Amino acid sequence: MFLSFSLRVLVDAEALNMVESTGNYTKHRRAPLVVPVEGGFEIRYVPAVSGESLAHAYQAILAELAKERKLPVCERCATGEFLKHAEDEIFGDSEWEKQVQSYAKNKDFHSAEKTLITNCMVEDVGGFLYTNGNVKRTSRAAFGYMLPARDFAQAAAVEPQFHVRHVPSQPERGKQMIYYVETSSALYVLSGYLDICGVGCTSMIRRECLQDADKRRETALKALVLMLANQLYGAKRSRFLPAWTVASAVFAAAKSPFMVTPGHVKDYIDETIKRAKAYSKNFGDEVFIYYYIREGYDKSPAESGGEKVAANKLGQIEELAGMLKWKCS
Ligand SMILES: [Zn+2]
């Protein structure tokens, strides 16, 4: 089961992804966005939140949830340091870590991958690249850059906010520090996928699934839903916690990779249903669509999209965690 998703999220006064400080000025990340204009397209520089930032948030939630559910998480991932098992210098000294090194040295890459994912759920889902041993695992979860919806790019703004810290009880010190933090407001699009059936199974040399694979898959899905429904991503939340609303969203689950139409397209939910119909007609796979509409989407998608396409309306995004069923081979 392959789950893809796209959400339109209205975020006001956020500082979720800052990139550099010049003196007392901290800049928000920006990225170029191609927007349609009369007679063609043009580039606009818009506020953005990187896919790395979103993947970090997801893995941090996953690590916590896995620990709670007594699933294995390695020492570093458990503390939210996702260096993964990238090189020998950062390996710990557990028996299984020595085993991974020894398997890799003997070119038994399958056993190296299996041993590593058996002992770390975060690296199972989020992937790793062990450079000294030439063992790699592609992440089962992917996140794109969060960018303002293309048709509302003109409604995205970045504005520096003035702040001051001072010590009124000791005016003689004359201490007063001013600083600026760029904040942004936009209707963002957040898209990605989770390869549910890829969780808990090796992939580098051949597919072999772990005994607790289903529990891992359920945990990986719950972590994703928790993150998307509660806006648990981005940095600088302690003093810049934004006003956040999921305006609309679409999820699609299918046996093979089927990507939803991203929220940059105005009728993205309807288009996803139309594409799912064409997909199931031509590839024979069932597609399950789940969508959520709170505001800003004036079309009402068909409840059912055809023989092999089921389109379900979600009252709340959290419902997805209970509704999605899968059978992996
Ligand atoms: Zn780990």
Side-chain angles (χ1 to χ4, degrees):
M1 186 64 80
F2 184 92
L3 175 73
S4 63
F5 56 86
S6 191
L7 297 86
R8 281 189 161 197
V9 194
L10 195 57
V11 194
D12 287 323
E14 56 86 8
L16 294 174
N17 196 186
M18 311 309 279
V19 283
E20 60 177 343
S21 291
T22 312
N24 61 352
Y25 193 98
T26 315
K27 277 186 77 177
H28 197 289
R29 181 180 296 279
R30 285 172 174 78
L33 180 75
V34 179
V35 293
V37 291
E38 214 181 311
F41 295 91
E42 68 175 34
I43 289 285
R44 299 247 172 92
Y45 285 85
V46 292
V49 178
S50 73
E52 288 282 7
S53 161
L54 298 170
H56 178 89
Y58 175 60
Q59 292 178 112
I61 298 166
L62 186 63
E64 288 307 313
L65 217 55
K67 281 190 282 180
E68 252 175 62
R69 300 172 152 222
K70 308 274 182 271
L71 282 160
V73 180
C74 81
E75 217 174 303
R76 263 189 207 276
C77 290
T79 60
E81 275 184 16
F82 304 119
L83 288 172
K84 315 283 183 70
H85 285 79
E87 46 191 41
D88 288 329
E89 290 72 47
I90 52 172
F91 266 60
D93 41 22
S94 309
E95 234 7 82
W96 67 265
E97 287 171 302
K98 286 179 194 142
Q99 249 177 12
V100 171
Q101 286 169 312
S102 139
Y103 282 135
K105 210 172 153 195
N106 295 317
K107 304 214 177 316
D108 183 357
F109 302 126
H110 173 73
S111 302
E113 184 194 10
K114 189 182 166 191
T115 308
L116 217 165
I117 65 168
T118 300
N119 290 283
C120 185
M121 163 92 196
V122 173
E123 283 166 87
D124 174 0
V125 181
F128 63 85
L129 175 64
Y130 173 30
T131 52
N132 300 112
N134 292 321
V135 188
K136 74 157 189 176
R137 178 172 174 79
T138 304
S139 177
R140 308 289 111 174
F143 294 92
Y145 264 50
M146 209 164 100
L147 296 165
R150 195 166 282 139
D151 51 334
F152 290 115
Q154 78 286 358
V158 179
E159 180 70 22
Q161 299 294 338
F162 172 85
H163 295 270
V164 60
R165 284 197 179 123
H166 61 128
V167 191
S169 61
Q170 291 171 286
E172 69 283 1
R173 294 178 68 155
K175 289 269 182 202
Q176 176 166 275
M177 192 183 83
I178 58 170
Y179 62 101
Y180 298 85
V181 177
E182 281 191 348
T183 61
S184 157
S185 299
L187 176 69
Y188 281 109
V189 173
L190 193 174
S191 307
Y193 68 76
L194 174 65
D195 173 10
I196 295 179
C197 284
V199 173
C201 302
T202 56
S203 61
M204 190 183 167
I205 306 292
R206 63 175 192 275
R207 184 174 167 91
E208 184 187 344
C209 298
L210 308 177
Q211 279 200 334
D212 59 358
D214 260 328
K215 188 177 176 189
R216 288 171 178 240
R217 289 167 188 148
E218 195 213 329
T219 308
L221 173 67
K222 287 227 163 127
L224 181 68
V225 174
L226 205 61
M227 169 189 172
L228 299 178
N230 295 286
Q231 287 89 42
L232 299 174
Y233 44 84
K236 252 182 149 32
R237 295 157 57 97
S238 57
R239 295 295 180 268
F240 292 86
L241 190 68
W244 242 314
T245 316
V246 177
S248 55
V250 67
F251 298 83
K255 201 174 146 200
S256 310
F258 171 83
M259 292 295 289
V260 298
T261 299
H264 287 292
V265 177
K266 205 174 182 182
D267 300 336
Y268 72 113
I269 299 176
D270 294 80
E271 194 172 306
T272 299
I273 296 172
K274 278 185 208 153
R275 284 183 45 240
K277 280 191 207 176
Y279 180 84
S280 64
K281 197 173 164 192
N282 289 285
F283 291 89
D285 278 356
E286 278 184 299
V287 184
F288 300 90
I289 311 268
Y290 302 89
Y291 63 89
Y292 169 81
I293 298 172
R294 188 180 185 281
E295 59 190 307
Y297 196 89
D298 45 19
K299 276 201 163 191
S300 189
E303 288 292 313
S304 186
E307 204 184 315
K308 286 192 165 181
V309 178
N312 306 288
K313 190 170 187 174
L314 297 169
Q316 300 301 331
I317 289 177
E318 285 87 344
E319 290 169 13
L320 183 73
M323 284 169 96
L324 207 60
K325 300 282 171 264
W326 59 83
K327 211 174 167 193
C328 304
S329 49

